[in-house]
């Protein structure tokens, strides 16, 4: 049973991300490089925010639960700000790299667009953050022990997997919208992205009231996914064509002769 829970939660948490990586990233070496570098930037942001939280805990009263909970909430907020700051720094780095690629290319064109960079970097942030958020949970799912035997929720592993999947998708969508806002210097959109990230982190403190946390988070997934889709140039017509799969007209025109066969004697 523990193995089934482990593999089931793993596939829920990283199934969509694995499909996106296999189909859209791993076939292009440049995208793989952007993916690895983006993961490194996220790890550095995690390191800095963890150091600040650790120092604050050491300087505080460890026996006061309210103080420790407040520090945890503060640490989550600081972590979000660090992540978004490093996302912006990564955008600046990719812009510099893109200018270099244009300079050395033969046709004067970049081999990858800013939109593609935004997508891959957002996916990198999502995969690495999802891995760090759920790896200990998956390790505990292998046992021994039974979830909920002491009054806890029996859906802990399942909801953790669904939250991780939402987090991966949200980071991907945030990356697309964030880079586009940086390109257009739209500071209001940047503020909305950062605010939605803070809101998502804040909703996790409602656990184990999973209805109050997961439902709004997946509402954000739908909203940000729609926003990112429109930002990338998508439209309702493209969705309709995707589901209906219209056949393309044959460009070859065949002209049949109207001559009748000669009459037989």
């Amino acid at each position: 049973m523990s193995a089934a829970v482990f593999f089931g939660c793993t596939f829920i948490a990283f199934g969509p991300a694995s499909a996106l990586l296999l189909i859209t990233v791993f076939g292009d070496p440049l995208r793989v490089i952007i993916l690895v570098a983006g993961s490194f930037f996220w790890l550095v942001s995690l390191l800095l925010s963890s150091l600040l939280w650790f120092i604050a805990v050491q300087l505080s009263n460890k026996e006061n639960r309210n103080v420790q909970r407040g520090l945890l909430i503060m640490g989550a907020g600081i972590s979000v700000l660090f992540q978004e700051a490093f996302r912006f720094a990564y955008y600046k780095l990719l812009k510099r790299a893109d200018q270099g690629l244009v300079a050395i290319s033969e046709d004067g064109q970049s081999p990858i667009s800013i939109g593609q960079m935004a997508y891959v970097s957002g996916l990198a942030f999502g995969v690495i953050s999802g891995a760090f958020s759920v790896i200990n949970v998956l390790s505990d799912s292998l046992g021994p022990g039974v979830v909920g035997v002491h009054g806890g929720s029996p859906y802990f592993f399942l909801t953790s997997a669904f939250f991780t999947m939402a987090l991966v998708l949200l980071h991907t969508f945030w990356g697309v919208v964030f880079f586009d806002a940086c390109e257009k210097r739209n500071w209001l959109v940047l503020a909305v992205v950062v605010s939605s990230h803070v809101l998502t982190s804040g909703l996790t403190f409602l656990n184990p009231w999973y209805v109050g946390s997961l439902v709004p988070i997946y509402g954000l997934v739908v909203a940000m996914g729609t926003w990112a889709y429109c930002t990338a140039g998508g439209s309702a017509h493209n969705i309709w064509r995707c589901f209906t799969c219209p056949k393309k007209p044959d460009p070859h025109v065949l002209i049949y002769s109207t001559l009748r066969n000669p009459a037989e004697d």
Side-chain angles (χ1 to χ4, degrees):
M1 185 65 181
S2 59
V5 172
F6 173 81
F7 286 108
C9 292
T10 301
F11 293 149
I12 290 173
F14 298 107
S18 300
L20 293 173
L21 290 172
L22 290 173
I23 296 173
T24 63
V25 176
F26 287 157
D28 189 336
L30 185 56
R31 295 183 184 181
V32 173
I33 294 173
I34 295 174
L35 181 79
V36 175
S39 302
F40 173 76
F41 268 70
W42 186 90
L43 287 172
V44 175
S45 71
L46 177 65
L47 175 63
L48 294 178
S49 58
S50 300
L51 283 175
L52 285 178
W53 175 80
F54 178 77
I55 293 172
V57 169
Q58 296 301 316
L59 296 177
S60 65
N61 184 5
K62 297 182 182 179
E63 297 180 358
N64 192 325
R65 297 185 61 182
N66 292 330
V67 171
Q68 295 304 314
R69 181 174 176 81
L71 288 176
L72 184 61
I73 295 174
M74 182 193 70
I78 292 175
S79 177
V80 169
L81 296 179
F82 268 111
Q83 290 178 50
E84 297 304 329
F86 273 83
R87 196 193 302 273
F88 182 75
Y90 193 42
Y91 161 77
K92 287 294 188 180
L93 178 64
L94 289 177
K95 283 288 290 184
R96 290 288 187 90
D98 185 61
Q99 294 173 1
L101 291 173
V102 171
I104 64 176
S105 63
E106 296 180 355
D107 56 357
Q109 299 290 331
S110 175
I112 186 170
S113 66
I114 290 295
Q116 292 171 342
M117 290 181 181
Y119 161 73
V120 178
S121 66
L123 186 58
F125 272 54
V127 170
I128 193 66
S129 64
F132 268 78
S133 67
V134 82
I135 189 67
N136 289 332
V137 176
L138 293 177
S139 176
D140 292 337
S141 69
L142 290 173
V146 178
V147 178
V149 70
H150 294 297
S153 174
Y155 305 109
F156 172 69
F157 291 134
L158 188 62
T159 52
S160 297
F162 275 105
F163 170 74
T164 302
M165 181 176 66
L167 186 64
V168 174
L169 294 175
L170 279 172
H171 267 291
T172 306
F173 302 149
W174 285 330
V176 174
V177 177
F178 190 95
F179 276 42
D180 181 73
C182 290
E183 284 288 291
K184 298 177 180 178
R185 297 184 179 273
N186 192 332
W187 310 119
L188 178 61
V189 173
L190 290 177
V192 172
V193 171
V194 176
S195 300
S196 64
H197 195 171
V198 172
L199 177 61
T200 302
S201 296
L203 287 171
T204 60
F205 287 97
L206 296 177
N207 294 334
W209 185 38
Y210 298 120
V211 175
S213 59
L214 272 181
V215 172
I217 285 174
Y218 270 90
L220 281 173
V221 170
V222 174
M224 292 303 304
T226 304
W227 192 356
Y229 176 74
C230 295
T231 300
S235 63
H237 179 66
N238 291 340
I239 298 178
W240 174 253
R241 293 186 61 187
C242 176
F243 284 102
T244 57
C245 299
K247 294 183 178 180
K248 294 182 179 180
D250 191 354
H252 303 287
V253 179
L254 299 180
I255 301 176
Y256 295 93
S257 175
T258 58
L259 296 177
R260 296 180 179 179
N261 293 330
E264 297 181 357
D265 295 333

